[in-house]
Amino acid sequence: MFLGYVGLLLFMVGDGVESGFIAPFMADHGAGDEIHASYVITAYGVAVMLASWLSGALSELWGPRRVMWIGLAIWLVFDVLFLAVAVPSENYPLMLITYGIRGFGYPMFAFGFLVWITAVAPVARLGAAVGWFYFAFTGGLPTLGSLVASFTNPVLGHYGTLWLSVGILAAGGLLCVLGVRERTGFTRLAPEGVQPVQSLVSSVSIAWKNPRVGVGMIVRIINTAPEFGMLVFFPTIFADQIGFGEGRWLLLVSVIYGTNIFFNLIFGVASDKIGWQSTIFWFGAIGCAISILLLYFVPTSLGADYYWVALLVGALYGATLAGFVPISALLPSLAPENKGGAMALLNLGAGAAAFVGPAIVSLFLGPAGAAGVVIIFAALYIVAAVLTRFLKLPEATRKAIDEDVSLQDVTAVRP
């Protein structure tokens, strides 16, 4: 799977190049203001949410590799349309359509690969396997992507940098789908008797048939909703209001997620030893509730002269955000008899975060202000901590851990 991880990293670099400046860029090229730009990003988030669910359900039916091909094609086609047609014409409705539909691309690619990983990795080392996934995922979006933008924006401009991202993403996507030769992902994962409608219904009904999976999906939404939300309005606050400027803001983003990618590995490996649930509760939920408050209120209180302090609190948020990594091992392990449905809900939660975060900003930035939105994000992390206490492993998963086999090898009857 090595080339898959490398390809995913490059794919997400291409995706993440825009993360530090896309909202103000769209505001200046047809959206009109930051609020209207957030509507475009929210539409994108809706597509991401739907595609994230479909990536799990369709990977069961068609195999992860085919789903990844579809995601790569969607992204490239609609990204080119967005850049070649919608942006030059400053056509806001077309911007909504092309950028929104583009949102179906990356979840089908990235989360299709995650399904592939969870199907073949031994359960006892599943935390480490998904840790490597998120090392590559967040290594690109937005860590190295923002770092690339910090160098290319002054030379190519925002528009040229966005075109560069298309090439990086295409190279990574092709390396991943062509380079991974492990055969499990080439074929359907569901038993032959399972029909498309049955599989799609099962990927939803598991939320109430196994309520712990539904609770885990909510925890997964809360995991990254604030991350997606803060990227909508933090660029203006940190670059303009505090006075860091775009270059130092992009460097701060790189520090946040540069720290995050290494702690993804640390918490992924450590969680196999100290427990997935405990890692999520203490380091993820409680840690993020504290660190996201520090990330906003410390720099806004101290001002531009204390940039080094902003880097420290940014690194802390990146580290605690990685505490949620074991959720991708925990959720399918809660339902080994229907791990495809569990993965569909896990991916739905990941995709929903891309919608929920910007939606919270759209709803509350006006009435509550930036500080109020950040407090709402912190409160959500406390809710995640409470919900995590309900996520306890079933006996079948404990058996798989003891026998050092994968979830695909767990003998169980599908409901």
Side-chain angles (χ1 to χ4, degrees):
M1 304 293 282
F2 174 74
L3 289 179
Y5 286 112
V6 176
L8 176 66
L9 174 63
L10 287 174
F11 182 96
M12 298 313 297
V13 167
D15 187 354
V17 161
E18 68 182 38
S19 58
F21 64 86
I22 191 62
F25 175 81
M26 286 193 292
D28 294 337
H29 291 82
D33 56 41
E34 200 168 80
I35 298 297
H36 282 85
S38 74
Y39 296 156
V40 179
I41 296 173
T42 301
Y44 171 85
V46 173
V48 168
M49 178 176 63
L50 293 174
S52 297
W53 165 60
L54 287 172
S55 68
L58 294 179
S59 290
E60 284 281 291
L61 293 171
W62 296 342
R65 189 172 186 263
R66 183 178 176 187
V67 173
M68 292 169 68
W69 269 117
I70 294 171
L72 177 60
I74 289 173
W75 181 277
L76 292 176
V77 169
F78 285 94
D79 198 23
V80 169
L81 289 174
F82 172 74
L83 293 175
V85 182
V87 170
S89 64
E90 297 192 355
N91 187 320
Y92 182 66
L94 190 59
M95 188 178 291
L96 271 169
I97 293 169
T98 55
Y99 194 85
I101 295 177
R102 193 191 72 163
F104 282 94
Y106 102 72
M108 296 186 75
F109 182 88
F111 296 136
F113 186 56
L114 180 59
V115 172
W116 199 342
I117 291 168
T118 57
V120 300
V123 180
R125 295 186 293 279
L126 192 52
V130 298
W132 277 107
F133 171 85
Y134 283 106
F135 176 89
F137 187 96
T138 58
L141 175 67
T143 313
L144 293 178
S146 295
L147 188 61
V148 168
S150 70
F151 288 106
T152 60
N153 279 344
V155 179
L156 302 177
H158 291 160
Y159 187 63
T161 294
L162 290 173
W163 275 111
L164 175 65
S165 72
V166 177
I168 297 173
L169 184 142
L174 291 173
L175 176 63
C176 188
V177 293
L178 297 176
V180 177
R181 309 312 301 169
E182 199 283 327
R183 304 303 298 181
T184 303
F186 283 60
T187 57
R188 61 183 278 149
L189 303 179
E192 287 302 322
V194 176
Q195 300 300 315
V197 173
Q198 179 185 356
S199 179
L200 292 173
V201 170
S202 176
S203 69
V204 175
S205 63
I206 190 176
W208 57 83
K209 289 182 178 179
N210 189 338
R212 289 178 297 181
V213 176
V215 170
M217 180 191 71
I218 296 173
V219 173
R220 181 62 185 89
I221 293 173
I222 296 173
N223 172 195
T224 49
E227 172 190 349
F228 285 106
M230 75 181 194
L231 290 174
V232 174
F233 68 106
F234 271 26
T236 299
I237 291 172
F238 280 75
D240 299 333
Q241 295 181 17
I242 297 177
F244 288 156
E246 183 185 79
R248 289 201 294 174
W249 156 246
L250 291 174
L251 179 59
L252 174 59
V253 172
S254 296
V255 168
I256 292 172
Y257 295 103
T259 305
N260 176 253
I261 63 173
F262 289 105
F263 275 87
N264 283 339
L265 285 180
I266 292 170
F267 284 131
V269 174
S271 68
D272 288 333
K273 306 296 182 183
I274 65 178
W276 299 334
Q277 186 187 41
S278 296
T279 303
I280 296 167
F281 179 85
W282 288 110
F283 297 103
I286 299 299
C288 281
I290 296 170
S291 62
I292 197 168
L293 292 173
L294 295 175
L295 177 60
Y296 175 80
F297 286 103
V298 170
T300 54
S301 298
L302 296 180
D305 292 336
Y306 289 87
Y307 179 67
W308 64 273
V309 179
L311 294 177
L312 290 178
V313 294
L316 177 63
Y317 178 65
T320 54
L321 192 63
F324 281 98
V325 158
I327 192 69
S328 295
L330 179 59
L331 207 60
S333 300
L334 293 173
E337 79 288 348
N338 189 4
K339 61 187 180 302
M343 285 302 299
L345 281 191
L346 171 72
N347 295 344
L348 176 61
F355 161 73
V356 171
I360 289 173
V361 176
S362 298
L363 291 172
F364 295 103
L365 185 60
V373 172
V374 172
I375 291 172
I376 291 171
F377 287 156
L380 286 175
Y381 281 127
I382 296 299
V383 172
V386 174
L387 294 178
T388 299
R389 288 305 190 185
F390 295 94
L391 306 180
K392 302 200 181 282
L393 291 174
E395 184 59 34
T397 298
R398 296 184 184 279
K399 180 181 178 182
I401 292 174
D402 292 339
E403 296 178 357
D404 195 26
V405 298
S406 70
L407 288 177
Q408 191 73 2
D409 295 326
V410 175
T411 302
V413 179
R414 217 190 222 315

Tab-separated table of all heavy atoms in Angstrom, residues 242-244 298-307 310:
chain	number	residue	atom	x	y	z
A	242	ILE	N	-5.579	40.923	12.743
A	242	ILE	CA	-4.444	40.841	13.676
A	242	ILE	C	-3.216	41.480	13.054
A	242	ILE	O	-2.422	42.122	13.751
A	242	ILE	CB	-4.158	39.369	14.064
A	242	ILE	CG1	-5.364	38.775	14.801
A	242	ILE	CG2	-2.912	39.278	14.957
A	242	ILE	CD1	-5.207	37.305	15.151
A	243	GLY	N	-3.053	41.302	11.731
A	243	GLY	CA	-1.946	41.945	11.039
A	243	GLY	C	-0.781	41.046	10.710
A	243	GLY	O	0.321	41.522	10.430
A	244	PHE	N	-1.003	39.718	10.687
A	244	PHE	CA	0.088	38.810	10.342
A	244	PHE	C	0.440	38.882	8.859
A	244	PHE	O	1.573	38.616	8.474
A	244	PHE	CB	-0.281	37.361	10.695
A	244	PHE	CG	-0.301	37.077	12.180
A	244	PHE	CD1	-1.061	36.029	12.686
A	244	PHE	CD2	0.436	37.835	13.071
A	244	PHE	CE1	-1.072	35.738	14.038
A	244	PHE	CE2	0.427	37.567	14.434
A	244	PHE	CZ	-0.331	36.520	14.915
A	298	VAL	N	-5.744	33.841	22.131
A	298	VAL	CA	-4.381	34.276	22.468
A	298	VAL	C	-3.816	35.218	21.396
A	298	VAL	O	-3.368	36.328	21.721
A	298	VAL	CB	-3.459	33.056	22.695
A	298	VAL	CG1	-1.998	33.500	22.788
A	298	VAL	CG2	-3.861	32.325	23.977
A	299	PRO	N	-3.825	34.858	20.103
A	299	PRO	CA	-3.295	35.800	19.096
A	299	PRO	C	-4.100	37.096	19.002
A	299	PRO	O	-3.510	38.170	18.817
A	299	PRO	CB	-3.385	35.011	17.787
A	299	PRO	CG	-3.386	33.585	18.199
A	299	PRO	CD	-4.150	33.560	19.487
A	300	THR	N	-5.424	37.027	19.120
A	300	THR	CA	-6.219	38.260	19.018
A	300	THR	C	-5.988	39.170	20.211
A	300	THR	O	-6.128	40.392	20.109
A	300	THR	CB	-7.721	37.951	18.893
A	300	THR	OG1	-8.133	37.097	19.972
A	300	THR	CG2	-8.032	37.286	17.563
A	301	SER	N	-5.613	38.599	21.360
A	301	SER	CA	-5.332	39.408	22.546
A	301	SER	C	-3.930	40.013	22.503
A	301	SER	O	-3.730	41.166	22.882
A	301	SER	CB	-5.483	38.561	23.817
A	301	SER	OG	-6.803	38.085	23.958
A	302	LEU	N	-2.952	39.228	22.028
A	302	LEU	CA	-1.564	39.687	22.067
A	302	LEU	C	-1.182	40.533	20.853
A	302	LEU	O	-0.303	41.395	20.951
A	302	LEU	CB	-0.627	38.477	22.164
A	302	LEU	CG	-0.736	37.635	23.439
A	302	LEU	CD1	0.256	36.473	23.389
A	302	LEU	CD2	-0.497	38.483	24.684
A	303	GLY	N	-1.800	40.286	19.697
A	303	GLY	CA	-1.511	41.086	18.511
A	303	GLY	C	-0.385	40.535	17.665
A	303	GLY	O	0.216	39.494	17.949
A	304	ALA	N	-0.044	41.283	16.622
A	304	ALA	CA	0.892	40.824	15.593
A	304	ALA	C	2.326	40.693	16.089
A	304	ALA	O	3.124	39.967	15.502
A	304	ALA	CB	0.852	41.778	14.398
A	305	ASP	N	2.675	41.389	17.193
A	305	ASP	CA	4.061	41.339	17.676
A	305	ASP	C	4.407	40.004	18.328
A	305	ASP	O	5.586	39.730	18.573
A	305	ASP	CB	4.302	42.472	18.675
A	305	ASP	CG	4.264	43.841	18.018
A	305	ASP	OD1	4.510	43.902	16.797
A	305	ASP	OD2	3.981	44.833	18.708
A	306	TYR	N	3.410	39.198	18.629
A	306	TYR	CA	3.649	37.922	19.312
A	306	TYR	C	3.293	36.749	18.400
A	306	TYR	O	2.594	35.823	18.797
A	306	TYR	CB	2.836	37.856	20.611
A	306	TYR	CG	3.355	38.785	21.684
A	306	TYR	CD1	2.928	40.107	21.741
A	306	TYR	CD2	4.293	38.357	22.616
A	306	TYR	CE1	3.411	40.978	22.707
A	306	TYR	CE2	4.781	39.217	23.592
A	306	TYR	CZ	4.338	40.524	23.626
A	306	TYR	OH	4.815	41.381	24.594
A	307	TYR	N	3.807	36.831	17.199
A	307	TYR	CA	3.529	35.787	16.214
A	307	TYR	C	4.018	34.425	16.692
A	307	TYR	O	3.365	33.398	16.450
A	307	TYR	CB	4.192	36.153	14.890
A	307	TYR	CG	3.997	35.142	13.786
A	307	TYR	CD1	2.741	34.910	13.237
A	307	TYR	CD2	5.089	34.426	13.269
A	307	TYR	CE1	2.565	33.986	12.210
A	307	TYR	CE2	4.915	33.509	12.250
A	307	TYR	CZ	3.660	33.298	11.727
A	307	TYR	OH	3.493	32.386	10.711
A	310	ALA	N	1.457	32.636	18.597
A	310	ALA	CA	0.432	32.073	17.711
A	310	ALA	C	0.895	30.740	17.131
A	310	ALA	O	0.104	29.798	16.992
A	310	ALA	CB	0.109	33.061	16.596
